[in-house]
Amino acid sequence: DIVTFSYESGSTQYQLHDYQAQPGQSSTYYNNPTASINGPLDFAYYHWVMVAGDLNADAVHLGAPKRTTVHNIVQPLVILNAPPIHYDILNGTAYDINGCFTSGVPCDFKSTYVNATDNTMEVSTEVNADWGVSQSISATVGAGGKGVLKKLPFSVSASITGTLDRTYGGGFSKVSGSSQSYKVTVTSDAIADDRIYATISDYDILEYPTYSKGELAGHVAVVLPKFTGLESLQNTWFAGKSERARMYLADHEVGNILSYPESATLPAGATLFGNGGFASGGGADTWELSGSSGQDWELMFSSTEINERTRTSYQTLDRSVSADLSVSYGVVDVDLEGSMSDSYDNDQISTHKTTVRQESGLKVHFGTIDASILGTKTYTVSPYVYWDSAGALVLDYAIDPDQSTGVPSWWTQQYGSKPDLTFNLPWLYDEEKGIGSTDPQVQSQETRDIIFNPVNPQPGEVASIYARVDNYSLTDMSTGSTLKFYYGDPNNGGTLITNQDGVSSVNVPAIQARKSAVIELANWKVPANLTNQSKVYAVVDPNNTIAEVHENNNTAWNLINPDAPTGTAIEGQGNPALPAHISLEQNYPNPFNPTTNISYSLVQAQNVTIRVYDILGREVATLFKGWQSSGTHRIQFDASRLSSGLYFYRMQTKGYVLTRKMMLIK
């Protein structure tokens, strides 16, 4: 702050003037609130005193930052949902309504992201660094600070947010080298599974303690995507059932039209893209499927009024799920949790800005349905497009199966008399559909409808478990039910989860047809033997008190923490003295087949990440990620699933990155 104090000769009127120059601009002097002096000042008329200092007495400053690196963060840019098809097994009979699995010919239902001229799509993505102010700190910390200069009171305001925005701009737009633009020409079809176009990158997070008047007021976080080297940003299409798509919490189950919404409704925080294919209360473009001919729908971005062509993507910087679970169960959840000291608003940190070219468009081809099953009573589809709250462009659908009166439809006969409590189980019938799996029985129960708060809980931490229970039926479940959680498979030695309040069974309320309810078990202490393969199972209606359409879809599981270590770190034996310095030892034995031991030493307790990479720089394993005490530690690495060759293992801690080579020979 630079403040001038002036007085007029022969007058008792005093004024204070604040000089705060913008970057690249000259300071401006204001003689009064509405007029300014241009040209030479009359120094014979004015007398001057200039004072520089922390005149508003806020004493706001930033301390030394804590640095954290987070790896393999997936930021979806486009979600291309496959056209809704229906496959079910009822009373032992398989019904492939759309002929996508048992007909012996390729599925004739597909969604495509195209360019109007050459069948390609160009997505322009600007990736940048950004900053945010923690929730515990006021956006105007220090505002209204007051001072006294020779008994003349004055007040000015200081804003961390305002100062950062003025100095650095949104997304550090005024800082050279803080952003890069990527133009990627891609094309993709979604057939019998959703497709996601995303960037995958590592991020450095710097968290600065912020002090006001000598006391800690909160934190400022800076997020820095890595643009070069081994951890540089990648762009790729992948399937919605891929391991990379764990952040994708779809509201529908591909292959079950009863899992889609009845009318085109925007999710919480979403905004409409264009006016085509959507109207108040439902889809404007509605297609009734036929048994005799296929149909096509398209939304070309050059031929419709577009409300918003560009969208920023917001990342979450804390491990807590949103208090509004409708947001937590949104389409995507991009979490840069790291090891944060504070929490940040979800709409503060944005590192991606995605723009869709005018020539691009979305096309959906609907093939024919099996009229021998449905006859003329088929179902209608209403496609629509929106920007998700996390910034992804989403093609979605509303579905209405024919339930006309008079002659009952197949839908009414099969799903109109009983409810069907279940979870979203994308892999349920993969084996029957001819889709391969190493363990189809286990994978058939995998879901993403079980989530945890905090995200990726650590051993010994107290967490809440949430499960979204669906009713994939045309009949309401009006009586209510119960739900139980298990640590491990309840049919293979799993343990019933009882929280610290002694609760082990949670009530499930009545659920209307094609609706869902979120069930919570709070205050659960995560077991100490947690690994990246540990699962929590949810079982709805465990005592089979409700007659349902299916009884094989009431159990589901999700991994508690996929980033947990693959093995257990063993505390060093012998001399308990602290090591003199941080170190990463050569693995032993080396060469090895298939297991080897990796030892390392920490001078102080801190967060540690140990990963293994192949010779092309691709990550193949996470051996440990989390907080660890000082001393010497050892991890056993099992490489039985890898092929022979040279590998690198890297330990990353605060201020250190250590790498060594090892050789696997089989």
Side-chain angles (χ1 to χ4, degrees), residues 378-392:
T378 63
Y379 64 95
T380 59
V381 183
S382 302
Y384 59 104
V385 182
Y386 60 88
W387 290 108
D388 178 68
S389 59

Side-chain angles (χ1 to χ4, degrees), residues 8-90:
E8 191 174 332
S9 298
S11 172
T12 58
Q13 182 177 359
Y14 300 92
Q15 300 174 9
L16 284 171
H17 308 279
D18 189 2
Y19 284 79
Q20 289 188 332
Q22 300 293 321
Q25 298 178 359
S26 301
S27 298
T28 303
Y29 166 73
Y30 291 93
N31 187 41
N32 59 57
T34 59
S36 63
I37 295 178
N38 297 314
L41 299 176
D42 185 356
F43 285 95
Y45 188 74
Y46 290 94
H47 300 268
W48 300 84
V49 175
M50 181 173 287
V51 180
D54 184 29
L55 297 174
N56 59 346
D58 58 4
V60 176
H61 68 280
L62 305 182
K66 178 180 71 173
R67 185 189 189 102
T68 304
T69 299
V70 292
H71 299 272
N72 297 325
I73 299 301
V74 178
Q75 173 64 60
L77 307 177
V78 178
I79 296 178
L80 186 63
N81 286 325
I85 57 178
H86 196 77
Y87 180 95
D88 203 355
I89 298 178
L90 300 163

Side-chain angles (χ1 to χ4, degrees), residues 72-123:
N72 297 325
I73 299 301
V74 178
Q75 173 64 60
L77 307 177
V78 178
I79 296 178
L80 186 63
N81 286 325
I85 57 178
H86 196 77
Y87 180 95
D88 203 355
I89 298 178
L90 300 163
N91 299 319
T93 302
Y95 294 93
D96 186 8
I97 300 299
N98 306 84
C100 287
F101 305 104
T102 59
S103 63
V105 298
C107 184
D108 197 28
F109 288 73
K110 69 177 181 179
S111 305
T112 308
Y113 210 155
V114 300
N115 179 282
T117 57
D118 57 8
N119 293 327
T120 61
M121 178 203 71
E122 182 177 274
V123 175

Side-chain angles (χ1 to χ4, degrees), residues 81-210:
N81 286 325
I85 57 178
H86 196 77
Y87 180 95
D88 203 355
I89 298 178
L90 300 163
N91 299 319
T93 302
Y95 294 93
D96 186 8
I97 300 299
N98 306 84
C100 287
F101 305 104
T102 59
S103 63
V105 298
C107 184
D108 197 28
F109 288 73
K110 69 177 181 179
S111 305
T112 308
Y113 210 155
V114 300
N115 179 282
T117 57
D118 57 8
N119 293 327
T120 61
M121 178 203 71
E122 182 177 274
V123 175
S124 174
T125 305
E126 179 184 300
V127 183
N128 57 262
D130 203 358
W131 56 268
V133 176
S134 64
Q135 295 179 14
S136 62
I137 194 171
S138 169
T140 56
V141 62
K146 296 180 180 296
V148 176
L149 184 61
K150 289 188 177 181
K151 299 183 180 181
L152 297 177
F154 63 92
S155 64
V156 294
S157 65
S159 167
I160 288 181
T161 303
T163 300
L164 283 173
D165 189 58
R166 181 172 66 243
T167 305
Y168 298 104
F172 287 104
S173 59
K174 299 179 182 180
V175 179
S176 177
S178 65
S179 65
Q180 289 191 20
S181 294
Y182 300 84
K183 289 187 177 181
V184 186
T185 301
V186 292
T187 181
S188 185
D189 294 333
I191 305 173
D193 193 10
D194 303 335
R195 300 284 291 174
I196 299 171
Y197 182 70
T199 63
I200 303 175
S201 181
D202 290 0
Y203 291 77
D204 280 338
I205 301 175
L206 302 177
E207 192 174 33
Y208 295 82
T210 305

